[in-house]
Amino acid sequence: MATFVDRYPEEASVVKATLVVSFLSLGIGALFGLVQALHRTGYLRFLDSVDYYTILTGHGVLLALVFTIFFLMGLFTWAVVQSLERPLPDIRLSWAWVGLTTTGATFAAVAILAGLIPSIDMSADVLYTFYAPLMAHPLFYVGLAMFIVGTWLAGADWFLAYREWRAENPDERIPLQTFMVLTTMLMWYLATLGVAVSTVFFLIPWSFGWVETVNPLLTRTLFWFFGHPVVYFWLMPAYLMWYTVLPKLAGGRLFSDPLARVVFVLFLLLSTPVGIHHQYLDPGIAEGFKFIAMTNTMFLLLPSLLTAFTVVASMEHGARQRGGEGYVSWLGSLPWRDPAFTGMALAGVMFAAGGFSGMINAGMNINYLIHNTLWVPGHFHLTVGTAVALTMMAGSYWLVPQLTGKRLYSRPIGLLQVVVWFVGMVLMSNAMHRGGLAGIPRRTAEPQYQNFDFSMALGTVGEIRAGIAIGGTLLFVSVVLFLVNILLSAFEEPIENPVDDSLPEPLSGASGSPVVLDNLRLWTAIAVVLVILAYTLPLAGIVGDAGLLGDVPGVPVWVSANAEATLDLLTEVIA
Amino acid sequence: MKMSRAGLLVAVAFGIPVAIELRVLFSFFGVELPLVSVVVFEALFLLLVAVLYSLNAEPKSASKH
């Protein structure tokens, strides 16, 4: 039986192209992560502290936006093609979005990395959140805009494939993987409206000097309009693999197709009207709107808890098919030798911990305790940094052989890699959470402060630093192992069946789920209404207070070249 | 139940967060364990896992892949 590359060679090339960009970004971003971990903790400092922010921005953009979203685009292409059992409608469109997103990501990366070279008058040290008043070089924003439009085209490609399939299968339920892709993309179209408006109408004209001022709170709010649902945009590929691939790897079948559909519908409905929970400490937004955002956020726990139940039930089913028995000892019957399974399972465990720390972030009152501290990166290194990243790496061990027709170079190295990631992240994220509780700030190259000691509830700041440095080093080693394993796999000889790529039917199939779940128009309409309810009044208040373009001139981050001008501007902004 | 080398590796990995959080758990009850207690706990845990593995090890798999 032929694998994916034999059945759909052109689509396999598209997926491989996205994965190459994704993995390249992973390598560079991981190196930047190591540099940061060693710099912040004081173990190895070879950077000027100003350049720390260039590295920090590169780390965030390359990993949180480029690595994840390029992997998503490859995975979703694979998922749509193989679940609809048909090629994409026009491969030229597919290459067009690959080209546009790659060019956009390259522009943004060039603008960031140029900050390391003083002779180039270009910088984008605005961190991955890139809202005003920090101003990047225009190339950064233009690249981001191209990248976002490219993702829209990718979504159009998948919707066109679905439309062709629907014309030939008018009465069929949407195949589960395609359903997941379509609901995720609908959420993405809605969510990216905020960042598109912010980038195209405010940040690009402002960075080119076409308009002189900006309203920072408006760009912040529009960023977080997109900035929280982007978390689910990263997470949904991981969910797609947990729901449809992990049960098979465990030796069983998905427990419930209807529950999976409900979860994805809930994410479509609830992901966007929650972004203000990132702005609990922003003045200019009434407390009531923040409270509503918190309430919506708590509802978002439901689909994650449903996922925990469904995925664990599916794994238990797999274990019992493999002879597992007892209340707990069935865990020993799971295929721990398989790096794809083990990586995804460990990612799921870490995600549970990240979910709990996320509840602290989401709670309006206790958020004040950890706001802008190391707790926050501790949290998202468990979610995007492990639930997403580790699942993507582990899933690659199963996916890449289907795209190349070649088996994985080494499963033991793959297993070691995912376990090293788990251990490294335990050390680093644990230290970050504990440091955050002590008030150690995030996003600073110089967290030590003179004549000041952080009051630790337990242990010492030295332990925290050691945990971050050792954990960060292990994570970098893990990425190197992953990339070497994937690279060496390219030199293997092609074989007929490099991996068992069949996906079994769920225990409870689509026929048992309400037809209304497939009504994408209905869910999209409700999602739009919820966003209007959540955002209309806050945005009207922000624009009413300071106007669309505000009165803040902006702070270019060409820090090395324009230090004096920047200081003047900062003084003006503060005044 | 037989234990594979992969199962051994995962069990060892799981011991690390348990050892780290042991201090946090004790601190809830006002007992501040020194850092060395983590090392001792982890060493004892590894010894226990090694003993269990030696008693329940699966035959080695010769395949590279």
Side-chain angles (χ1 to χ4, degrees):
Chain A
M1 190 177 69
T3 192
F4 186 84
V5 65
D6 304 310
R7 296 196 297 271
Y8 310 104
E10 290 184 320
E11 284 73 13
S13 296
V14 168
V15 180
K16 279 187 282 191
T18 62
L19 294 192
V20 166
V21 179
S22 172
F23 295 158
L24 193 61
S25 303
L26 173 65
I28 300 170
L31 177 63
F32 286 179
L34 176 66
V35 171
Q36 281 175 79
L38 297 179
H39 183 98
R40 259 201 77 124
T41 52
Y43 282 92
L44 178 62
R45 291 191 161 206
F46 57 87
L47 278 177
D48 187 288
S49 285
V50 170
D51 288 336
Y52 177 87
Y53 300 96
T54 308
I55 296 295
L56 177 59
T57 306
H59 178 70
V61 170
L62 289 174
L63 290 185
L65 296 177
V66 182
F67 159 61
T68 53
I69 294 179
F70 271 89
F71 188 92
L72 172 148
M73 292 190 292
L75 181 77
F76 279 11
T77 301
W78 166 84
V80 166
V81 169
Q82 76 92 29
S83 66
L84 297 180
E85 297 180 340
R86 59 187 305 123
L88 293 171
D90 187 344
I91 203 68
R92 290 172 301 180
L93 173 61
S94 310
W95 283 114
W97 60 254
V98 171
L100 192 59
T101 49
T102 305
T103 307
T106 306
F107 282 3
V110 166
I112 296 167
L113 297 179
L116 294 172
I117 306 169
S119 57
I120 302 176
D121 192 21
M122 180 187 289
S123 176
D125 299 350
V126 290
L127 312 185
Y128 100 93
T129 42
F130 63 84
Y131 38 65
L134 292 180
M135 183 197 283
H137 189 277
L139 187 69
F140 177 77
Y141 300 118
V142 170
L144 282 176
M146 292 170 67
F147 181 68
I148 291 163
V149 172
T151 62
W152 290 349
L153 287 179
D157 201 10
W158 303 323
F159 269 96
L160 287 172
Y162 165 68
R163 192 176 68 169
E164 283 190 354
W165 174 87
R166 176 55 83 197
E168 294 173 10
N169 302 274
D171 300 321
E172 293 285 318
R173 299 301 297 266
I174 306 174
L176 183 58
Q177 286 189 331
T178 298
F179 180 86
M180 293 171 164
V181 170
L182 299 184
T183 47
T184 302
M185 288 313 296
L186 288 169
M187 182 267 286
W188 181 244
Y189 283 125
L190 184 58
T192 45
L193 287 178
V195 74
V197 167
S198 175
T199 305
V200 173
F201 292 107
F202 301 115
L203 298 178
I204 288 179
W206 177 58
S207 63
F208 273 112
W210 301 335
V211 295
E212 290 184 357
T213 57
V214 72
N215 181 342
L217 184 57
L218 180 59
T219 65
R220 276 173 70 89
T221 307
L222 289 173
F223 176 85
W224 288 119
F225 181 103
F226 144 92
H228 195 76
V230 74
V231 170
Y232 298 106
F233 196 54
W234 304 327
L235 197 58
M236 289 307 99
Y239 272 37
L240 185 146
M241 286 194 277
W242 291 352
Y243 273 107
T244 64
V245 178
L246 187 58
K248 173 246 169 51
L249 296 176
R253 296 155 66 186
L254 173 61
F255 184 71
S256 170
D257 172 297
L259 265 182
R261 287 176 201 258
V262 166
V263 164
F264 275 74
V265 166
L266 286 173
F267 278 119
L268 166 59
L269 297 182
L270 298 172
S271 291
T272 310
V274 299
I276 289 176
H277 77 224
H278 289 261
Q279 298 177 274
Y280 286 148
L281 288 180
D282 279 18
I285 299 177
E287 296 296 292
F289 297 136
K290 296 174 181 174
F291 185 84
I292 291 169
M294 176 182 74
T295 310
N296 290 343
T297 308
M298 294 304 175
F299 280 123
L300 261 176
L301 292 171
L302 177 62
S304 289
L305 292 172
L306 287 175
T307 299
F309 168 76
T310 313
V311 173
V312 172
S314 305
M315 284 169 50
E316 181 179 349
H317 172 257
R320 294 195 187 283
Q321 298 304 302
R322 298 165 61 91
E325 294 176 341
Y327 290 117
V328 176
S329 58
W330 56 267
L331 287 165
S333 299
L334 288 167
W336 297 109
R337 265 196 202 96
D338 182 352
F341 170 82
T342 303
M344 287 192 213
L346 293 177
V349 171
M350 298 289 268
F351 185 54
F356 292 129
S357 69
M359 291 182 207
I360 310 297
N361 302 343
M364 203 168 150
N365 50 353
I366 41 181
N367 177 285
Y368 301 155
L369 181 70
I370 49 82
H371 202 90
N372 273 341
T373 69
L374 261 184
W375 174 283
V376 180
H379 160 74
F380 64 65
H381 277 88
L382 287 178
T383 51
V384 64
T386 299
V388 175
L390 185 55
T391 298
M392 288 180 173
M393 288 187 280
S396 298
Y397 292 137
W398 183 76
L399 183 64
V400 170
Q402 299 178 44
L403 305 171
T404 60
K406 300 170 181 178
R407 63 185 177 181
L408 184 67
Y409 172 71
S410 171
R411 282 161 57 101
I413 290 177
L415 184 63
L416 180 66
Q417 182 261 318
V418 297
V419 170
V420 167
W421 187 277
F422 175 81
V423 173
M425 195 57 85
V426 163
L427 292 172
M428 192 176 84
S429 68
N430 182 287
M432 284 177 158
H433 279 99
R434 288 172 58 198
L437 286 176
I440 297 177
R442 64 183 290 207
R443 289 181 157 176
T444 173
E446 313 293 347
Q448 60 270 35
Y449 297 134
Q450 290 182 339
N451 304 319
F452 179 83
D453 288 323
F454 292 102
S455 175
M456 300 295 298
L458 177 71
T460 63
V461 173
E463 284 176 35
I464 300 292
R465 289 185 183 143
I468 292 172
I470 296 169
T473 305
L474 289 175
L475 292 168
F476 178 71
V477 168
S478 176
V479 168
V480 170
L481 288 174
F482 169 74
L483 293 176
V484 167
N485 207 0
I486 292 291
L487 187 65
L488 291 178
S489 301
F491 299 107
E492 291 283 310
E493 290 298 319
I495 57 175
E496 190 172 353
N497 291 312
V499 68
D500 175 11
D501 61 0
S502 62
L503 293 174
E505 287 295 312
L507 284 168
S508 171
S511 58
S513 68
V515 179
V516 71
L517 285 174
D518 284 10
N519 190 339
L520 299 179
R521 285 193 180 88
L522 171 68
W523 303 122
T524 306
I526 296 174
V528 170
V529 169
L530 289 176
V531 169
I532 290 170
L533 289 174
Y535 269 103
T536 304
L537 291 177
L539 284 174
I542 291 166
V543 173
D545 284 345
L548 266 179
L549 296 176
D551 55 3
V552 174
V555 183
V557 290
W558 289 249
V559 175
S560 307
N562 302 308
E564 285 185 14
T566 303
L567 281 175
D568 290 344
L569 274 172
L570 272 174
T571 309
E572 189 180 336
V573 169
I574 293 166
Chain B
M1 185 181 69
K2 297 293 180 190
M3 183 182 264
S4 65
R5 282 186 293 173
L8 172 72
L9 187 63
V10 173
V12 169
F14 266 98
I16 292 171
V18 172
I20 291 174
E21 297 300 345
L22 195 68
R23 296 175 74 208
V24 178
L25 177 69
F26 273 82
S27 74
F28 289 157
F29 304 100
V31 180
E32 192 160 330
L33 295 178
L35 187 60
V36 71
S37 67
V38 175
V39 179
V40 172
F41 174 85
E42 187 64 20
L44 290 173
F45 177 79
L46 291 177
L47 185 66
L48 176 68
V49 171
V51 170
L52 286 175
Y53 177 70
S54 65
L55 293 175
N56 299 297
E58 271 185 355
K60 283 183 182 175
S61 165
S63 168
K64 181 181 82 163
H65 294 282

